[in-house]
mmCIF file of all heavy atoms in Angstrom:
data_model
loop_
_atom_site.group_PDB
_atom_site.id
_atom_site.type_symbol
_atom_site.label_atom_id
_atom_site.label_comp_id
_atom_site.label_asym_id
_atom_site.label_seq_id
_atom_site.Cartn_x
_atom_site.Cartn_y
_atom_site.Cartn_z
ATOM 1 N N LEU A 24 6.864 1.515 9.477
ATOM 2 C CA LEU A 24 5.643 1.823 10.212
ATOM 3 C C LEU A 24 5.038 3.186 9.869
ATOM 4 O O LEU A 24 3.878 3.282 9.737
ATOM 5 C CB LEU A 24 5.836 1.523 11.740
ATOM 6 C CG LEU A 24 6.114 0.067 12.099
ATOM 7 C CD1 LEU A 24 6.639 0.002 13.597
ATOM 8 C CD2 LEU A 24 4.956 -0.781 11.940
ATOM 9 N N ASN A 25 5.960 4.095 9.997
ATOM 10 C CA ASN A 25 5.434 5.589 9.730
ATOM 11 C C ASN A 25 4.979 5.773 8.401
ATOM 12 O O ASN A 25 4.028 6.331 8.068
ATOM 13 C CB ASN A 25 6.566 6.513 10.051
ATOM 14 C CG ASN A 25 6.880 6.707 11.462
ATOM 15 O OD1 ASN A 25 6.018 6.508 12.379
ATOM 16 N ND2 ASN A 25 8.174 7.017 11.795
ATOM 17 N N LYS A 26 5.637 5.098 7.384
ATOM 18 C CA LYS A 26 5.272 5.261 5.912
ATOM 19 C C LYS A 26 3.876 4.634 5.731
ATOM 20 O O LYS A 26 3.015 5.199 5.052
ATOM 21 C CB LYS A 26 6.305 4.563 5.045
ATOM 22 C CG LYS A 26 5.967 4.569 3.573
ATOM 23 C CD LYS A 26 5.478 6.012 3.048
ATOM 24 C CE LYS A 26 6.595 6.779 2.616
ATOM 25 N NZ LYS A 26 6.048 8.083 1.995
ATOM 26 N N PHE A 27 3.617 3.327 6.216
ATOM 27 C CA PHE A 27 2.420 2.820 5.979
ATOM 28 C C PHE A 27 1.213 3.428 6.741
ATOM 29 O O PHE A 27 0.169 3.543 6.134
ATOM 30 C CB PHE A 27 2.444 1.247 6.296
ATOM 31 C CG PHE A 27 3.233 0.425 5.393
ATOM 32 C CD1 PHE A 27 4.271 -0.248 5.710
ATOM 33 C CD2 PHE A 27 2.846 0.437 4.022
ATOM 34 C CE1 PHE A 27 5.060 -0.920 4.862
ATOM 35 C CE2 PHE A 27 3.516 -0.314 3.137
ATOM 36 C CZ PHE A 27 4.707 -1.091 3.508
ATOM 37 N N ASP A 28 1.548 4.016 7.869
ATOM 38 C CA ASP A 28 0.516 4.825 8.569
ATOM 39 C C ASP A 28 0.195 6.026 7.834
ATOM 40 O O ASP A 28 -0.912 6.414 7.848
ATOM 41 C CB ASP A 28 1.110 5.100 10.105
ATOM 42 C CG ASP A 28 -0.016 5.673 10.906
ATOM 43 O OD1 ASP A 28 -1.102 4.987 11.066
ATOM 44 O OD2 ASP A 28 0.174 6.776 11.412
ATOM 45 N N GLU A 29 1.167 6.742 7.325
ATOM 46 C CA GLU A 29 0.925 7.905 6.452
ATOM 47 C C GLU A 29 0.125 7.572 5.326
ATOM 48 O O GLU A 29 -0.808 8.446 4.931
ATOM 49 C CB GLU A 29 2.411 8.533 6.095
ATOM 50 C CG GLU A 29 2.241 9.735 5.135
ATOM 51 C CD GLU A 29 3.444 10.174 4.433
ATOM 52 O OE1 GLU A 29 4.529 9.559 4.695
ATOM 53 O OE2 GLU A 29 3.360 11.042 3.663
ATOM 54 N N LEU A 30 0.513 6.559 4.531
ATOM 55 C CA LEU A 30 -0.316 6.158 3.416
ATOM 56 C C LEU A 30 -1.796 5.958 3.759
ATOM 57 O O LEU A 30 -2.739 6.441 3.172
ATOM 58 C CB LEU A 30 0.257 4.919 2.700
ATOM 59 C CG LEU A 30 1.696 5.119 2.008
ATOM 60 C CD1 LEU A 30 2.232 3.765 1.824
ATOM 61 C CD2 LEU A 30 1.407 5.885 0.735
ATOM 62 N N LYS A 31 -2.015 5.150 4.791
ATOM 63 C CA LYS A 31 -3.382 4.987 5.328
ATOM 64 C C LYS A 31 -4.142 6.278 5.613
ATOM 65 O O LYS A 31 -5.210 6.389 5.093
ATOM 66 C CB LYS A 31 -3.294 4.016 6.505
ATOM 67 C CG LYS A 31 -4.700 3.784 7.224
ATOM 68 C CD LYS A 31 -4.619 2.938 8.540
ATOM 69 C CE LYS A 31 -4.104 3.897 9.578
ATOM 70 N NZ LYS A 31 -4.130 3.208 10.891
ATOM 71 N N ASN A 32 -3.479 7.085 6.321
ATOM 72 C CA ASN A 32 -4.062 8.361 6.774
ATOM 73 C C ASN A 32 -4.479 9.264 5.563
ATOM 74 O O ASN A 32 -5.436 9.835 5.562
ATOM 75 C CB ASN A 32 -3.359 8.959 7.852
ATOM 76 C CG ASN A 32 -3.399 8.218 9.129
ATOM 77 O OD1 ASN A 32 -4.335 7.561 9.496
ATOM 78 N ND2 ASN A 32 -2.317 8.277 9.935
ATOM 79 N N ARG A 33 -3.506 9.393 4.639
ATOM 80 C CA ARG A 33 -3.776 10.289 3.629
ATOM 81 C C ARG A 33 -4.829 9.777 2.599
ATOM 82 O O ARG A 33 -5.492 10.533 2.062
ATOM 83 C CB ARG A 33 -2.490 10.533 2.946
ATOM 84 C CG ARG A 33 -1.313 11.350 3.790
ATOM 85 C CD ARG A 33 -0.233 11.846 3.020
ATOM 86 N NE ARG A 33 -0.527 12.987 2.044
ATOM 87 C CZ ARG A 33 0.271 13.274 1.082
ATOM 88 N NH1 ARG A 33 1.414 12.771 0.869
ATOM 89 N NH2 ARG A 33 -0.105 14.267 0.224
ATOM 90 N N ILE A 34 -4.725 8.486 2.291
ATOM 91 C CA ILE A 34 -5.825 7.947 1.487
ATOM 92 C C ILE A 34 -7.155 8.020 2.028
ATOM 93 O O ILE A 34 -8.115 8.388 1.444
ATOM 94 C CB ILE A 34 -5.441 6.432 1.156
ATOM 95 C CG1 ILE A 34 -4.211 6.412 0.277
ATOM 96 C CG2 ILE A 34 -6.646 5.725 0.369
ATOM 97 C CD1 ILE A 34 -3.612 4.981 0.018
ATOM 98 N N LEU A 35 -7.206 7.784 3.423
ATOM 99 C CA LEU A 35 -8.502 8.067 4.036
ATOM 100 C C LEU A 35 -8.999 9.383 4.083
ATOM 101 O O LEU A 35 -10.168 9.561 3.932
ATOM 102 C CB LEU A 35 -8.449 7.359 5.584
ATOM 103 C CG LEU A 35 -8.335 5.846 5.719
ATOM 104 C CD1 LEU A 35 -8.066 5.464 7.145
ATOM 105 C CD2 LEU A 35 -9.745 5.272 5.271
ATOM 106 N N LYS A 36 -8.098 10.347 4.197
ATOM 107 C CA LYS A 36 -8.460 11.768 4.124
ATOM 108 C C LYS A 36 -9.012 12.078 2.762
ATOM 109 O O LYS A 36 -9.972 12.929 2.649
ATOM 110 C CB LYS A 36 -7.372 12.581 4.506
ATOM 111 C CG LYS A 36 -6.928 12.693 6.006
ATOM 112 C CD LYS A 36 -5.848 13.601 6.348
ATOM 113 C CE LYS A 36 -5.334 13.553 7.675
ATOM 114 N NZ LYS A 36 -3.982 14.349 8.023
ATOM 115 N N ALA A 37 -8.390 11.586 1.790
ATOM 116 C CA ALA A 37 -8.922 11.895 0.368
ATOM 117 C C ALA A 37 -10.333 11.117 0.148
ATOM 118 O O ALA A 37 -11.271 11.780 -0.378
ATOM 119 C CB ALA A 37 -7.857 11.223 -0.680
ATOM 120 N N ILE A 38 -10.339 9.974 0.535
ATOM 121 C CA ILE A 38 -11.726 9.317 0.513
ATOM 122 C C ILE A 38 -12.744 10.041 1.168
ATOM 123 O O ILE A 38 -13.944 10.125 0.672
ATOM 124 C CB ILE A 38 -11.643 7.898 1.003
ATOM 125 C CG1 ILE A 38 -10.759 6.916 0.091
ATOM 126 C CG2 ILE A 38 -12.881 7.167 1.086
ATOM 127 C CD1 ILE A 38 -10.354 5.622 0.756
ATOM 128 N N ALA A 39 -12.498 10.483 2.383
ATOM 129 C CA ALA A 39 -13.532 11.187 3.270
ATOM 130 C C ALA A 39 -14.030 12.452 2.497
ATOM 131 O O ALA A 39 -15.279 12.810 2.700
ATOM 132 C CB ALA A 39 -12.841 11.559 4.555
ATOM 133 N N GLN A 40 -13.384 13.045 1.625
ATOM 134 C CA GLN A 40 -13.814 14.178 0.901
ATOM 135 C C GLN A 40 -14.668 13.924 -0.357
ATOM 136 O O GLN A 40 -15.383 14.757 -0.899
ATOM 137 C CB GLN A 40 -12.563 15.056 0.454
ATOM 138 C CG GLN A 40 -11.657 15.535 1.577
ATOM 139 C CD GLN A 40 -10.463 16.121 1.059
ATOM 140 O OE1 GLN A 40 -10.663 17.318 0.262
ATOM 141 N NE2 GLN A 40 -9.322 15.702 1.291
ATOM 142 N N MET A 41 -14.649 12.730 -0.733
ATOM 143 C CA MET A 41 -15.326 12.388 -2.048
ATOM 144 C C MET A 41 -16.707 11.611 -1.808
ATOM 145 O O MET A 41 -16.900 10.990 -0.803
ATOM 146 C CB MET A 41 -14.412 11.453 -2.815
ATOM 147 C CG MET A 41 -13.095 12.188 -3.021
ATOM 148 S SD MET A 41 -11.839 11.004 -3.953
ATOM 149 C CE MET A 41 -12.476 11.079 -5.501
ATOM 150 N N THR A 42 -17.532 11.641 -2.834
ATOM 151 C CA THR A 42 -18.796 11.047 -2.828
ATOM 152 C C THR A 42 -18.534 9.597 -3.506
ATOM 153 O O THR A 42 -17.454 9.326 -3.981
ATOM 154 C CB THR A 42 -19.845 11.668 -3.687
ATOM 155 O OG1 THR A 42 -19.298 11.654 -5.113
ATOM 156 C CG2 THR A 42 -20.053 13.148 -3.202
ATOM 157 N N ASP A 43 -19.546 8.666 -3.223
ATOM 158 C CA ASP A 43 -19.421 7.387 -4.009
ATOM 159 C C ASP A 43 -19.217 7.517 -5.373
ATOM 160 O O ASP A 43 -18.446 6.736 -5.909
ATOM 161 C CB ASP A 43 -20.750 6.588 -3.656
ATOM 162 C CG ASP A 43 -20.817 6.036 -2.207
ATOM 163 O OD1 ASP A 43 -19.954 6.232 -1.511
ATOM 164 O OD2 ASP A 43 -21.862 5.319 -1.983
ATOM 165 N N GLU A 44 -19.862 8.348 -5.999
ATOM 166 C CA GLU A 44 -19.658 8.638 -7.472
ATOM 167 C C GLU A 44 -18.301 8.943 -7.886
ATOM 168 O O GLU A 44 -17.769 8.477 -8.819
ATOM 169 C CB GLU A 44 -20.639 9.584 -8.050
ATOM 170 C CG GLU A 44 -22.243 9.065 -7.991
ATOM 171 C CD GLU A 44 -22.805 8.970 -6.516
ATOM 172 O OE1 GLU A 44 -22.347 9.747 -5.641
ATOM 173 O OE2 GLU A 44 -23.629 8.130 -6.359
ATOM 174 N N GLN A 45 -17.845 9.989 -7.143
ATOM 175 C CA GLN A 45 -16.470 10.465 -7.433
ATOM 176 C C GLN A 45 -15.499 9.369 -7.182
ATOM 177 O O GLN A 45 -14.445 9.313 -7.969
ATOM 178 C CB GLN A 45 -16.146 11.611 -6.552
ATOM 179 C CG GLN A 45 -16.912 12.912 -6.897
ATOM 180 C CD GLN A 45 -16.737 14.062 -5.915
ATOM 181 O OE1 GLN A 45 -16.714 13.710 -4.661
ATOM 182 N NE2 GLN A 45 -16.837 15.212 -6.321
ATOM 183 N N LEU A 46 -15.629 8.515 -6.194
ATOM 184 C CA LEU A 46 -14.632 7.500 -5.865
ATOM 185 C C LEU A 46 -14.706 6.384 -6.998
ATOM 186 O O LEU A 46 -13.711 5.603 -7.196
ATOM 187 C CB LEU A 46 -14.977 6.799 -4.520
ATOM 188 C CG LEU A 46 -14.751 7.719 -3.379
ATOM 189 C CD1 LEU A 46 -15.396 7.205 -2.117
ATOM 190 C CD2 LEU A 46 -13.244 7.743 -3.112
ATOM 191 N N ASN A 47 -15.842 6.183 -7.708
ATOM 192 C CA ASN A 47 -15.944 5.179 -8.825
ATOM 193 C C ASN A 47 -15.782 5.790 -10.145
ATOM 194 O O ASN A 47 -15.851 5.058 -11.153
ATOM 195 C CB ASN A 47 -17.311 4.590 -8.605
ATOM 196 C CG ASN A 47 -17.202 3.611 -7.345
ATOM 197 O OD1 ASN A 47 -16.670 2.521 -7.479
ATOM 198 N ND2 ASN A 47 -17.832 4.090 -6.312
ATOM 199 N N TRP A 48 -15.570 7.125 -10.278
ATOM 200 C CA TRP A 48 -15.351 7.846 -11.461
ATOM 201 C C TRP A 48 -13.898 7.516 -12.150
ATOM 202 O O TRP A 48 -12.951 7.345 -11.395
ATOM 203 C CB TRP A 48 -15.508 9.267 -11.390
ATOM 204 C CG TRP A 48 -15.235 10.185 -12.560
ATOM 205 C CD1 TRP A 48 -15.902 10.383 -13.716
ATOM 206 C CD2 TRP A 48 -13.974 10.807 -12.843
ATOM 207 N NE1 TRP A 48 -15.213 11.162 -14.647
ATOM 208 C CE2 TRP A 48 -14.087 11.394 -14.066
ATOM 209 C CE3 TRP A 48 -12.755 11.008 -12.056
ATOM 210 C CZ2 TRP A 48 -13.081 12.201 -14.660
ATOM 211 C CZ3 TRP A 48 -11.810 11.729 -12.730
ATOM 212 C CH2 TRP A 48 -11.839 12.331 -13.920
ATOM 213 N N ARG A 49 -13.883 7.263 -13.365
ATOM 214 C CA ARG A 49 -12.584 7.107 -14.106
ATOM 215 C C ARG A 49 -12.250 8.151 -14.945
ATOM 216 O O ARG A 49 -13.149 8.537 -15.751
ATOM 217 C CB ARG A 49 -12.736 5.776 -14.902
ATOM 218 C CG ARG A 49 -13.030 4.613 -14.118
ATOM 219 C CD ARG A 49 -12.932 3.251 -14.963
ATOM 220 N NE ARG A 49 -13.497 3.413 -16.318
ATOM 221 C CZ ARG A 49 -13.277 2.615 -17.324
ATOM 222 N NH1 ARG A 49 -12.415 1.485 -17.099
ATOM 223 N NH2 ARG A 49 -13.692 2.660 -18.475
ATOM 224 N N PRO A 50 -11.073 8.599 -14.914
ATOM 225 C CA PRO A 50 -10.626 9.655 -15.899
ATOM 226 C C PRO A 50 -10.339 9.130 -17.236
ATOM 227 O O PRO A 50 -9.162 8.930 -17.699
ATOM 228 C CB PRO A 50 -9.389 10.342 -15.197
ATOM 229 C CG PRO A 50 -8.834 9.129 -14.341
ATOM 230 C CD PRO A 50 -10.060 8.276 -14.003
ATOM 231 N N GLY A 51 -11.369 8.874 -17.949
ATOM 232 C CA GLY A 51 -11.260 8.206 -19.360
ATOM 233 C C GLY A 51 -11.324 6.771 -19.270
ATOM 234 O O GLY A 51 -11.197 6.178 -18.236
ATOM 235 N N ASN A 52 -11.520 6.170 -20.439
ATOM 236 C CA ASN A 52 -11.628 4.742 -20.533
ATOM 237 C C ASN A 52 -10.438 3.868 -20.095
ATOM 238 O O ASN A 52 -10.564 2.793 -19.631
ATOM 239 C CB ASN A 52 -12.037 4.273 -21.876
ATOM 240 C CG ASN A 52 -13.504 4.773 -22.322
ATOM 241 O OD1 ASN A 52 -14.329 4.875 -21.383
ATOM 242 N ND2 ASN A 52 -13.765 4.884 -23.535
ATOM 243 N N ALA A 53 -9.208 4.469 -20.287
ATOM 244 C CA ALA A 53 -8.105 3.767 -19.952
ATOM 245 C C ALA A 53 -7.579 4.038 -18.566
ATOM 246 O O ALA A 53 -6.688 3.375 -17.875
ATOM 247 C CB ALA A 53 -6.935 4.245 -20.989
ATOM 248 N N GLY A 54 -8.231 5.011 -17.871
ATOM 249 C CA GLY A 54 -7.894 5.352 -16.415
ATOM 250 C C GLY A 54 -8.515 4.495 -15.456
ATOM 251 O O GLY A 54 -9.521 3.795 -15.666
ATOM 252 N N HIS A 55 -7.992 4.586 -14.190
ATOM 253 C CA HIS A 55 -8.561 3.760 -13.136
ATOM 254 C C HIS A 55 -9.255 4.718 -12.144
ATOM 255 O O HIS A 55 -8.791 5.820 -11.865
ATOM 256 C CB HIS A 55 -7.428 2.979 -12.372
ATOM 257 C CG HIS A 55 -6.781 2.029 -13.343
ATOM 258 N ND1 HIS A 55 -7.418 0.949 -13.879
ATOM 259 C CD2 HIS A 55 -5.557 1.919 -13.596
ATOM 260 C CE1 HIS A 55 -6.611 0.260 -14.616
ATOM 261 N NE2 HIS A 55 -5.397 0.885 -14.500
ATOM 262 N N SER A 56 -10.354 4.178 -11.561
ATOM 263 C CA SER A 56 -10.955 5.018 -10.441
ATOM 264 C C SER A 56 -10.227 4.825 -9.084
ATOM 265 O O SER A 56 -9.437 3.864 -9.022
ATOM 266 C CB SER A 56 -12.529 4.510 -10.355
ATOM 267 O OG SER A 56 -12.365 3.179 -9.955
ATOM 268 N N VAL A 57 -10.592 5.627 -8.130
ATOM 269 C CA VAL A 57 -10.017 5.373 -6.865
ATOM 270 C C VAL A 57 -10.386 4.072 -6.336
ATOM 271 O O VAL A 57 -9.612 3.380 -5.647
ATOM 272 C CB VAL A 57 -10.570 6.570 -5.831
ATOM 273 C CG1 VAL A 57 -10.254 6.276 -4.477
ATOM 274 C CG2 VAL A 57 -10.036 7.956 -6.277
ATOM 275 N N SER A 58 -11.758 3.694 -6.540
ATOM 276 C CA SER A 58 -12.017 2.426 -6.104
ATOM 277 C C SER A 58 -11.235 1.158 -6.563
ATOM 278 O O SER A 58 -10.903 0.300 -6.050
ATOM 279 C CB SER A 58 -13.585 2.081 -6.315
ATOM 280 O OG SER A 58 -13.856 1.978 -7.603
ATOM 281 N N THR A 59 -10.875 1.299 -8.039
ATOM 282 C CA THR A 59 -10.146 0.246 -8.562
ATOM 283 C C THR A 59 -8.699 0.280 -8.016
ATOM 284 O O THR A 59 -8.039 -0.705 -7.790
ATOM 285 C CB THR A 59 -10.064 0.665 -10.209
ATOM 286 O OG1 THR A 59 -11.358 0.469 -10.730
ATOM 287 C CG2 THR A 59 -9.121 -0.433 -10.835
ATOM 288 N N LEU A 60 -8.142 1.445 -7.862
ATOM 289 C CA LEU A 60 -6.708 1.636 -7.339
ATOM 290 C C LEU A 60 -6.697 1.076 -5.958
ATOM 291 O O LEU A 60 -5.767 0.276 -5.557
ATOM 292 C CB LEU A 60 -6.319 3.050 -7.199
ATOM 293 C CG LEU A 60 -6.078 3.699 -8.662
ATOM 294 C CD1 LEU A 60 -6.010 5.231 -8.495
ATOM 295 C CD2 LEU A 60 -4.786 2.951 -9.312
ATOM 296 N N ILE A 61 -7.741 1.236 -5.152
ATOM 297 C CA ILE A 61 -7.728 0.657 -3.718
ATOM 298 C C ILE A 61 -7.918 -0.817 -3.719
ATOM 299 O O ILE A 61 -7.263 -1.613 -2.974
ATOM 300 C CB ILE A 61 -8.852 1.330 -2.905
ATOM 301 C CG1 ILE A 61 -8.393 2.737 -2.562
ATOM 302 C CG2 ILE A 61 -9.096 0.608 -1.592
ATOM 303 C CD1 ILE A 61 -9.520 3.655 -1.936
ATOM 304 N N ARG A 62 -8.686 -1.357 -4.725
ATOM 305 C CA ARG A 62 -8.839 -2.809 -4.856
ATOM 306 C C ARG A 62 -7.552 -3.477 -5.360
ATOM 307 O O ARG A 62 -7.184 -4.552 -4.831
ATOM 308 C CB ARG A 62 -9.979 -3.243 -5.847
ATOM 309 C CG ARG A 62 -11.284 -2.960 -5.171
ATOM 310 C CD ARG A 62 -12.615 -3.213 -6.057
ATOM 311 N NE ARG A 62 -12.490 -4.205 -7.088
ATOM 312 C CZ ARG A 62 -12.294 -4.006 -8.280
ATOM 313 N NH1 ARG A 62 -12.484 -2.790 -8.872
ATOM 314 N NH2 ARG A 62 -12.116 -5.043 -9.281
#
Side-chain angles (χ1 to χ4, degrees):
L24 291 169
N25 288 331
K26 176 50 88 177
F27 289 120
D28 190 56
E29 175 194 359
L30 289 164
K31 175 184 75 174
N32 291 330
R33 291 187 72 192
I34 292 170
L35 286 171
K36 285 178 184 178
I38 291 171
Q40 298 177 58
M41 301 174 76
T42 66
D43 284 0
E44 290 72 29
Q45 291 168 330
L46 291 164
N47 288 280
W48 173 79
R49 296 184 323 158
N52 290 335
H55 300 301
S56 67
V57 170
S58 66
T59 297
L60 293 166
I61 291 171
R62 286 180 29 249

